[in-house]
Structure formats: C-alpha cells, structure tokens
Amino acid sequence: MKEVAKAVLDKELDLIQAYKRTMKLAELAGLTLVDQTSFATAVSEVTQDAITHSSGITLALGVSEETERHLLARIQLKKGPLTGISQTGIDYARPLVTHLALAETEGGSEITLHFRLPASTPISDVTLQEWEMQLRDEPVLSPIEQIRQHQRQLQQMAERLQESKNQYYTLTNSLPLMIFTATKEGKLLYANKWLQEYTRTTPDILNAKGWRSIVHADDAYKKWHWQEQLPKQTNFQNEIRIRHAATGEYIWHLINATAILNEKNEVTSWNGFLVNIHAQKMMDRTLKDNQELTETKQQLEQYQLELQMNIGELNRSNQELAEFAYVASHDLQEPLRKIQSFGTLLLQQASAELSPSAQDMIHRMHSAAERMHVLIKDLLSYSRLNTHQQTFRPVDLNDLISEVMVDLELNIRERNAQIKCPTLPTIKGNPLQLRQMFQNLLSNALKFRSPERPPQIRIRTEKVTIFDIPVPMRKREPAYLAISVEDNGIGFDERYHDRIFQLFQRLHSRDQYAGTGIGLTICKKVAEMHGGTIAAQSIPGEGATFTVYLPVSVLVKTSVASES
C-alpha cells in the first residue's frame, strides 16, 4: 500500500478526524459523494468498534499498488485477537466497500477495507504527494461543525437524488413505452404516465386489484409470473394481452423485465417496460391464416379430385349393379322356373314310379328353388333402390296404406288382425318405394305375431325434434315427421337393434319364420333416400315399434293427426 495519511486513534475526537480524512481522500480520488460517504462510513463503523476494544489504534489511508487500483484503509490493533471485537461495525461496513479483510499479525491484528477506484482516475507519485499535503493541512473540525457538514452533505445527496429521480421520470414519460418498477413479488413501485393513461389506473389501485385486472385471463400467470423468475435472477420477457381502458380491447404487448440484484446477488426489484406488438401479432396471424387457407385449398382440390374419381367408380359400380339386376331378373330366374316346372311334371307323371324318398327330394328341390326365386326377387328390389332415379311427387299416405292393406288382405283375415290408422298426411316422395317400405313393415307385424293373441297394429304420426331421434342422422334438420308402426307381437331384444336392419340378418330360423332378411334393410334404405332414417323399440314378448323419421319439409299438408 502507498500510504498518504496515518493517525493514532485514542478518543472520540480522533474518530471524527479519521472520518473527515477518509472523506477527503475519497473526494481527491474522484469518487462520487455517495461513494465518498459509503467508504468513510465503513471506516468510521470499524474504528468505532476497535477503539472500544483496544487503545493505540492506528489508521493508515492510502492506495493499493496492484494493477486494479483501490483506496485502502488499514486499522491496526496492538493487543488482543479480532475475535474479541464486536462484529456489528464490521457487518455494517462489509456491504459498503468492495472488500473487507481480517488478519492476525505479530504485533496484534488488522482490518483492511478496499474501495475500487474508477479506471479513469490517474494516480502518480506526484498525485499522492499532493494528496498527503492536503490531508496533513486539513483543519480539525469540532463535533458540532462535523455534524453540520454531515447535514450539508446529506442535503446535497437528497437534492441530487431528487434531481436524478425527476430526470428519470421525465425520461420515462417521454418514451412511447409503458415503463414500471416493481418489487420482486410484482408490486408496483412506479408506473410512468403511459402505463397509467393506458390502463386508467394508478400503482396503488393496480396493486390492490392485481395484474389480473388488466391482463387477459388466458395470459395471466400462465406464461409469466414474478415468483417463477426469481431463481433465474436475469431478464425475462413474454407476450401478454393488456386491456386498453378506453376501448376495453385486449392488445398484445411484449413485457420485458430486468432483475435488480443486491450485494448478495439476490433479486430486490424489477425494472421493466411494455411495448405494443399488436400489429405484428395480427400480421403473423394473417400470414398463418393465409398459409392455412392455401393448405386447405390444396387439400380441398385433392378431395375434389378424389371425389371425382370416387364418383366415376360409383357410376361404374352402379352400372355393374344394373347389369347384375338384369341378369338376376332374367338369366337367373329362367333356370329356376325350369327346375320348378320339371320338378312338378316329374311328380305328376312319374310319381308312381318314384320312391317316397325320391319324391321327398323333389319336394325339397322345389322348395329350395322357390326360396331362391324369392331371394333373387328381393335382391332385385333392393338393387333398384340404388339404380333407379328418384322421382318425388305428393303421396297421400292414407291411399297408400289402403292399397297395402288390400294386398295383405288375405294375411290380415287369416290372422284375425286389427289395424288402426288415423288420418295420415300427404308427403313428397317416391310412391313405389314408400309402398314397398310400408308393405314390409306391416308384413313383419303380421308375420312375427304372438301365438297367444291376435295381431293388433297401430299406425301413428307426430312431429318431433332432432333431439327426440334415438339414432344419428346424416342430414340434421330441426324438425321431423315420425311415422310409427306398432304391434303386439313377439318383439325382439334391443341388443340386436342395429343387426335387424343389415342385409340378410335374421333373428329367427327359416323353420320358425319365412323370409330372406332383406325387408327391413329395404325399409332403412327407403327412409334414407327420403332424407330420414328408421329406428326400432321393443320389449321381448310384448311387441315392437318401428318408427320412420322423415324431414318435416316432406309434408305437403302440414296437419298431422296422431292417435293418443
């Protein structure tokens, strides 16, 4: 250390002189008033504790000889170890200086305080001699005068601090940014005029309501949180939406906060700003939407190409189906008719020569051919639903049901069945297909009768909503016409609800009930081709209800009578 001043401290007045010399040395070294006071206060606190512990305290002031220059204050004690000194002054002084070192020596112990000098401070031997002369000639002040000098210094510091604060406020209010200072927990200490005018609030009000009151609910405490940033002890930024008080609209802003650290490298507060990035966000969103729109357009074009290919394939399949229907109606049925005819002739002309077993085989062949004939006929009917063009016209359901009942008159009479049918509406549809659907529904009601009671069949109509339909609809319309065919037959287990409408699906063997398993499939297809669907409800042993749901738009006469 290059020493520039030295003094022996025995009494309180010596402490005042030591403080004054330390202040003067810091001033000569070019330190600010704040740094001068920090260094002098640290020296004063340590010497105060030392003088109460020992006598003959020596204080040496000077400059370090290392490359990085420091002001040094070395306090030497002639007796006793350092452990006997109160640590209060040392603990208070440590954060005020750059470094504080404790050491034991042969003659006692010493405490050295370091305060870093600005790199721009020129120090030479001539400079040190001038400092030494000024410190030696410095007059000794009385305690009262020393207090006055301290007060003047504090007043100067307060004025400079206020001036600095005013300059900071002027600067932050002149910038087109929302600038703030907050505690480590996010409580506002300062908010410039841009933030207060944008939110129409004050730091006190905002602290009471919390940041949630101005930040969008989807952004608050999800993308950023003060406490989550504390371990990072660095800058952080995020994009959040701040409510504009004048319009109530949430505008995108970039929040950027810088951590202010203490001597222990702990976050004490945050300095931050908010900058409007709404236009940039909207542009990014527009570009993204345009990109998605382009991709969607390309995908739609691909779908359209695939659809055209599928339509071509469907047309080809329909053509093949039409050809199959022609073959089924002519080429397949002709051999069946011959088998039936030859079987009948064989029985008539050669029955006496045939054994009973041979006659039984011919009867079975004849029955099998008849079943094949019915199956081909039903398949032809089903295929025609897909291949024939739809021609809709007004159809009076009353006339249509009457015609069906005439066709089923023999079955109705044989089974002693009762069919109750109120006045039905007129609807737009294909008369042949609708007749086929209702004939199948009524035939099933007559076929699957209970052996314990004669069939009772009721036909009812009512208007329902989409929420009353128990099955999903391809075309969802708000209102539908429900046409129900209810019987008191054997019913079925509702676990098989979907199965009964599938092609060739049967719940009973042919020995119990005749049929090909296509009737209800045709009913479902007819309902769908009229924009509706069909559903079934049943309790085994108590009967079944089949309900056809058609869009209410098919009604020609809107009055719908229903039987209670």
Side-chain angles (χ1 to χ4, degrees):
M1 178 180 75
K2 292 184 177 182
E3 189 176 295
V4 295
K6 192 171 185 178
V8 177
L9 310 178
D10 288 324
K11 50 186 180 297
E12 293 291 334
L13 188 60
D14 295 334
L15 295 177
I16 297 175
Q17 185 65 17
Y19 179 86
K20 180 184 176 183
R21 287 191 175 185
T22 307
M23 282 286 293
K24 186 62 177 178
L25 177 61
E27 180 186 354
L28 294 172
L31 297 182
T32 65
L33 181 59
V34 174
D35 290 342
Q36 294 173 32
T37 305
S38 297
F39 185 47
T41 302
V43 173
S44 179
E45 289 292 330
V46 175
T47 54
Q48 178 72 38
D49 282 350
I51 201 172
T52 58
H53 174 72
S54 176
S55 60
I57 306 298
T58 301
L59 170 64
L61 299 173
V63 179
S64 65
E65 299 182 22
E66 290 81 7
T67 302
E68 187 177 18
R69 295 295 182 90
H70 290 79
L71 284 182
L72 299 181
R74 182 168 293 157
I75 300 105
Q76 294 180 326
L77 295 81
K78 292 183 179 180
K79 67 172 185 177
L82 288 172
T83 54
I85 299 178
S86 170
Q87 297 293 314
T88 304
I90 294 176
D91 292 341
Y92 186 84
R94 195 182 300 276
L96 298 178
V97 295
T98 306
H99 179 61
L100 188 150
L102 307 175
E104 302 291 340
T105 65
E106 294 181 359
S109 56
E110 65 181 23
I111 307 169
T112 306
L113 290 81
H114 301 245
F115 201 99
R116 183 182 295 107
L117 291 174
S120 60
T121 303
I123 300 177
S124 63
D125 292 339
V126 176
T127 302
L128 293 176
Q129 290 177 4
E130 291 178 355
W131 290 2
E132 183 178 358
M133 291 176 61
Q134 291 190 48
L135 291 174
R136 186 174 62 243
D137 298 338
E138 186 74 14
V140 179
L141 298 178
S142 66
I144 295 177
E145 184 61 30
Q146 186 69 35
I147 293 174
R148 290 174 180 172
Q149 186 177 7
H150 284 178
Q151 289 177 341
R152 287 194 295 272
Q153 292 173 348
L154 291 174
Q155 181 65 29
Q156 292 175 6
M157 292 175 62
E159 291 174 356
R160 292 183 183 180
L161 180 62
Q162 184 61 43
E163 182 181 357
S164 176
K165 184 184 296 185
N166 291 338
Q167 291 176 350
Y168 176 72
Y169 290 168
T170 301
L171 175 63
T172 58
N173 289 330
S174 65
L175 296 174
L177 299 172
M178 290 188 280
I179 300 175
F180 62 89
T181 301
T183 65
K184 64 180 182 180
E185 294 84 9
K187 182 179 180 181
L188 280 179
L189 299 174
Y190 166 72
N192 72 340
K193 71 171 185 178
W194 294 93
L195 179 55
Q196 296 190 46
E197 290 177 356
Y198 186 91
T199 60
R200 289 185 180 176
T201 185
T202 64
D204 291 339
I205 296 176
L206 190 55
N207 287 333
K209 293 183 177 180
W211 284 86
R212 294 177 187 270
S213 61
I214 63 171
V215 179
H216 194 282
D218 292 341
D219 304 329
Y221 296 94
K222 291 184 179 180
K223 294 184 178 179
W224 60 279
H225 192 289
W226 302 104
Q227 295 295 336
E228 294 176 358
Q229 307 302 326
L230 288 178
K232 302 177 184 178
Q233 298 184 355
T234 183
N235 298 359
F236 79 92
Q237 65 180 24
N238 268 304
E239 296 175 353
I240 58 175
R241 282 164 288 183
I242 303 294
R243 183 172 57 84
H244 191 280
T247 62
E249 183 182 3
Y250 283 92
I251 304 298
W252 280 104
H253 283 78
L254 175 70
I255 179 173
N256 187 298
T258 302
I260 307 301
L261 310 178
N262 60 15
E263 66 279 354
K264 296 181 181 180
N265 209 34
E266 299 172 338
V267 177
T268 59
S269 59
W270 302 92
N271 281 342
F273 64 86
L274 292 156
V275 59
N276 190 323
I277 59 169
H278 197 74
Q280 178 184 344
K281 292 289 289 187
M282 294 301 101
M283 181 179 295
D284 292 343
R285 181 177 298 177
T286 301
L287 292 175
K288 182 179 179 181
D289 291 344
N290 287 341
Q291 182 179 359
E292 292 178 351
L293 184 61
T294 302
E295 293 175 354
T296 302
K297 181 181 177 182
Q298 294 174 350
Q299 193 171 19
L300 286 175
E301 291 175 351
Q302 179 65 26
Y303 288 160
Q304 185 176 7
L305 180 60
E306 294 177 359
L307 180 61
Q308 291 175 352
M309 295 174 62
N310 291 336
I311 290 175
E313 182 67 19
L314 182 61
N315 290 334
R316 186 186 64 80
S317 299
N318 286 340
Q319 181 63 31
E320 292 178 353
L321 186 60
E323 294 174 358
F324 168 77
Y326 177 80
V327 171
S329 61
H330 295 85
D331 297 350
L332 291 180
Q333 296 208 53
E334 183 60 28
L336 286 177
R337 282 195 293 269
K338 289 183 178 180
I339 292 173
Q340 290 176 309
S341 298
F342 288 142
T344 302
L345 289 174
L346 189 60
L347 288 174
Q348 291 176 351
Q349 298 177 7
S351 59
E353 302 174 7
L354 296 175
S355 65
S357 61
Q359 293 183 23
D360 180 63
M361 284 189 287
I362 294 174
H363 281 296
R364 290 187 180 187
M365 178 186 67
H366 194 279
S367 299
E370 179 62 26
R371 288 197 302 271
M372 188 65 179
H373 173 73
V374 174
L375 179 60
I376 292 174
K377 182 180 178 182
D378 288 346
L379 280 173
L380 181 60
S381 298
Y382 183 73
S383 66
R384 283 173 176 169
L385 294 177
N386 292 319
T387 57
H388 286 198
Q389 186 177 2
Q390 301 299 305
T391 54
F392 285 3
R393 62 179 178 82
V395 178
D396 188 335
L397 293 182
N398 298 290
D399 296 339
L400 187 143
I401 296 297
S402 297
E403 293 174 2
V404 171
M405 291 175 63
V406 170
D407 292 342
L408 300 175
E409 182 178 3
L410 181 60
N411 285 338
I412 295 174
R413 187 184 309 114
E414 288 178 351
R415 291 164 176 76
N416 194 24
Q418 294 182 357
I419 300 178
K420 296 181 179 180
C421 181
T423 302
L424 301 176
T426 298
I427 65 174
K428 288 182 293 184
N430 185 292
L432 294 177
Q433 294 178 1
L434 292 173
R435 178 171 179 174
Q436 192 174 14
M437 178 179 70
F438 283 106
Q439 183 161 346
N440 284 331
L441 291 176
L442 291 174
S443 295
N444 277 359
L446 293 169
K447 181 194 302 183
F448 297 104
R449 67 188 185 281
S450 171
E452 302 174 356
R453 53 186 177 270
Q456 291 187 353
I457 304 170
R458 292 192 298 175
I459 303 175
R460 296 186 294 179
T461 59
E462 61 177 335
K463 288 182 181 179
V464 298
T465 67
I466 184 65
F467 304 104
D468 299 318
I469 299 178
V471 291
M473 298 288 296
R474 292 182 182 176
K475 283 180 61 178
R476 299 181 65 87
E477 295 192 13
Y480 287 83
L481 174 67
I483 308 173
S484 301
V485 177
E486 180 181 349
D487 64 60
N488 64 340
I490 62 172
F492 63 90
D493 192 331
E494 288 193 359
R495 289 182 300 172
Y496 307 111
H497 173 276
D498 294 331
R499 177 179 169 184
I500 61 176
F501 293 107
Q502 296 176 8
L503 197 64
F504 300 130
Q505 293 297 314
R506 302 168 51 90
L507 300 184
H508 307 280
S509 65
R510 292 189 180 88
D511 296 337
Q512 293 177 292
Y513 299 95
T516 59
I518 298 180
L520 289 178
T521 307
I522 292 176
C523 294
K524 185 173 185 289
K525 189 67 177 180
V526 171
E528 289 176 348
M529 296 182 74
H530 284 74
T533 189
I534 187 171
Q537 293 177 313
S538 177
I539 299 176
E542 297 184 15
T545 300
F546 289 85
T547 305
V548 178
Y549 298 95
L550 301 178
V552 76
S553 57
V554 303
L555 280 173
V556 176
K557 295 181 180 179
T558 57
S559 60
V560 178
S562 60
E563 183 182 22
S564 59

